[in-house]
């Protein structure tokens, strides 16, 4: 029996008996373009965008979100380290300035959304509060993805004790209700913008970790993963260059819908008095401060912040449904068959 010679070269395959000149001579008879392989991923996202554009309700939701984002950005000037990077101001009044000569004024030409119990202009506070609420949602989703996707990917790819360790942490956190765990975090570390974001990230990364883990468990069995391993690719490269891009679509859909969930959660915490500092121009805090005025019949103090929350969450859900359909080629194929 012959003995194999050991080698330090890992996973290198040598193919003999193959003449590349034959392919070069017959290239004109082969319907193949070298750029196709490198552009497969880009083409897939292009087709997804084309399917998304055909969804009118999703485009409506996207238009509402872009309008609200525009109002939030240009509501008041933005200063970064003492440098004004955005000098425009759409808000007609300072959202934190009280006018004691116009207490609880109903909607009018001077005050389109009326004023609250301290004479603050509600229209200015709503569009400035959109900056706070939208920023909380975007940052919380980004950080939750940054924690959940790598941990879920590692757990799904390696398995074994690593998978057990990460998933047991996920199970423990799942045992607590979402808002209860966020309230406990804020009760320990206190209120504030970044503390609220930290509370939302702590209780939400587990969903993305579990979702990406389930996708990777099925994707890693494909042939291209085995080929990458045979060619000596590193585990990090296999995970984040070959597996995650083909398993990320459900996570993107969940993250899109999650922005609305975070905005609702931030509003709920603000309504309970556990969000930002009291008196902040944030939609949930505005609802909380206007509860007593609502009993007195001054509906506009809570109506317009509530409408802003409703419009944003509804629009995010429409966009999320559109993204889900766009990233699912089967749904597009089925709709074409019905035509």
């Amino acid at each position: 029996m012959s003995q194999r010679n050991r080698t330090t070269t890992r996973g290198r395959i040598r193919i003999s008996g193959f003449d590349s000149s034959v392919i070069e001579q017959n290239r004109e008879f082969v319907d193949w373009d070298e750029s196709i392989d490198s552009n497969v991923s880009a083409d897939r996202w292009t087709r997804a965008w084309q399917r998304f554009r055909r969804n009118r309700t999703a485009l409506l939701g996207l238009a509402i979100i872009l309008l609200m984002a525009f109002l939030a950005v240009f509501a008041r000037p933005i200063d970064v380290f003492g440098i004004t990077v955005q000098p425009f101001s759409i808000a007609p009044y300072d959202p934190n300035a009280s006018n004691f000569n116009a207490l609880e004024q109903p909607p009018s030409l001077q005050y389109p959304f009326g004023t609250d119990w301290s004479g603050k202009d509600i229209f200015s506070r709503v569009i400035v509060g959109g900056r706070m609420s939208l920023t909380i949602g975007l940052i919380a989703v980004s950080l939750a993805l940054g924690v959940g996707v790598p941990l879920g990917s590692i757990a799904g790819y390696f398995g074994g004790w690593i998978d057990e360790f990460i998933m047991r942490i996920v199970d423990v956190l799942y045992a607590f209700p979402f808002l209860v765990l966020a309230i406990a975090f804020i009760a320990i570390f206190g209120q504030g913008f970044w503390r609220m974001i930290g509370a939302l990230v702590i209780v939400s990364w587990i969903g993305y970790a579990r979702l990406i883990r389930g996708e990777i468990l099925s994707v890693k069995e494909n042939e291209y993963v085995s080929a990458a391993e045979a060619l000596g690719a590193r585990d990090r490269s296999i995970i984040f260059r070959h597996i995650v891009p083909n398993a990320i679509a459900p996570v993107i859909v969940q993250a899109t819908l999650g922005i609305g969930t975070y905005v609702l959660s931030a509003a709920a915490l603000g309504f309970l008095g556990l969000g930002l500092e009291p008196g902040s121009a944030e939609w949930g805090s505005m609802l909380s401060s206007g509860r007593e005025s609502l009993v007195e019949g001054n509906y506009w103090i809570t109506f317009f912040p509530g409408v802003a929350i409703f419009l944003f969450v509804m629009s995010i859900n429409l966009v999320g449904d559109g993204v889900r359909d766009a990233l699912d080629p089967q749904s597009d194929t089925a709709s074409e068959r019905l035509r």
Side-chain angles (χ1 to χ4, degrees), residues 42-287:
D43 290 342
R44 183 177 66 177
W45 291 108
T46 301
R47 291 193 298 269
W49 168 244
Q50 292 174 353
R51 287 192 292 267
F52 182 83
R53 289 191 306 175
R54 292 197 294 266
N55 192 328
R56 295 183 179 179
T57 56
L59 291 179
L60 174 62
L62 181 61
I64 295 175
I65 293 173
L66 292 178
L67 176 61
M68 298 181 75
F70 174 82
L71 294 175
V73 170
F74 294 98
R76 298 289 292 175
I78 299 177
D79 295 332
V80 179
F81 299 110
I83 302 175
T84 302
V85 296
Q86 195 287 103
F88 301 100
S89 178
I90 297 178
Y93 302 97
D94 185 348
N96 297 317
S98 299
N99 183 4
F100 296 103
N101 294 323
L103 300 179
E104 297 184 340
Q105 293 292 318
S108 61
L109 293 178
Q110 184 178 3
Y111 302 105
F113 289 177
T115 61
D116 61 6
W117 59 273
S118 63
K120 297 176 182 177
D121 180 51
I122 296 178
F123 175 74
S124 301
R125 290 176 64 81
V126 166
I127 60 177
V128 173
R131 177 185 298 179
M132 302 294 295
S133 298
L134 271 62
T135 302
I136 290 173
L138 290 175
I139 294 178
V141 165
S142 301
L143 294 179
L145 288 174
V147 176
V149 170
L151 290 179
S153 302
I154 293 172
Y157 179 76
F158 290 104
W161 68 268
I162 299 178
D163 185 25
E164 288 292 329
F165 177 75
I166 296 176
M167 286 300 105
R168 294 300 76 79
I169 296 177
V170 171
D171 293 338
V172 170
L173 293 178
Y174 257 122
F176 297 92
F178 184 89
L179 276 179
V180 172
L181 193 59
I183 290 172
F185 183 91
I186 293 176
I188 295 173
F189 296 99
Q191 296 176 252
F193 179 80
W194 289 106
R195 293 184 180 92
M196 175 186 287
I197 292 177
L200 295 176
V201 172
I202 287 294
V203 300
S204 60
W205 70 268
I206 54 179
Y208 301 119
R210 173 173 286 185
L211 182 59
I212 192 67
R213 171 185 175 269
E215 292 294 321
I216 286 179
L217 287 176
S218 60
V219 171
K220 74 175 184 178
E221 302 298 331
N222 293 333
E223 289 80 2
Y224 60 84
V225 178
S226 301
E229 294 174 350
L231 292 173
R234 297 180 180 273
D235 293 330
R236 180 178 59 185
S237 176
I238 294 174
I239 293 174
F240 295 106
R241 293 187 59 185
H242 300 284
I243 297 180
V244 171
N246 291 283
I248 200 66
V251 180
I252 294 177
V253 175
Q254 185 67 25
T256 305
L257 297 173
I259 297 176
T261 302
Y262 296 141
V263 170
L264 277 178
S265 300
L269 292 173
F271 184 78
L272 295 174
L274 298 173
L276 303 181
E277 291 77 7
S280 300
E282 191 268 329
W283 293 338
S285 300
M286 294 174 64
L287 289 176

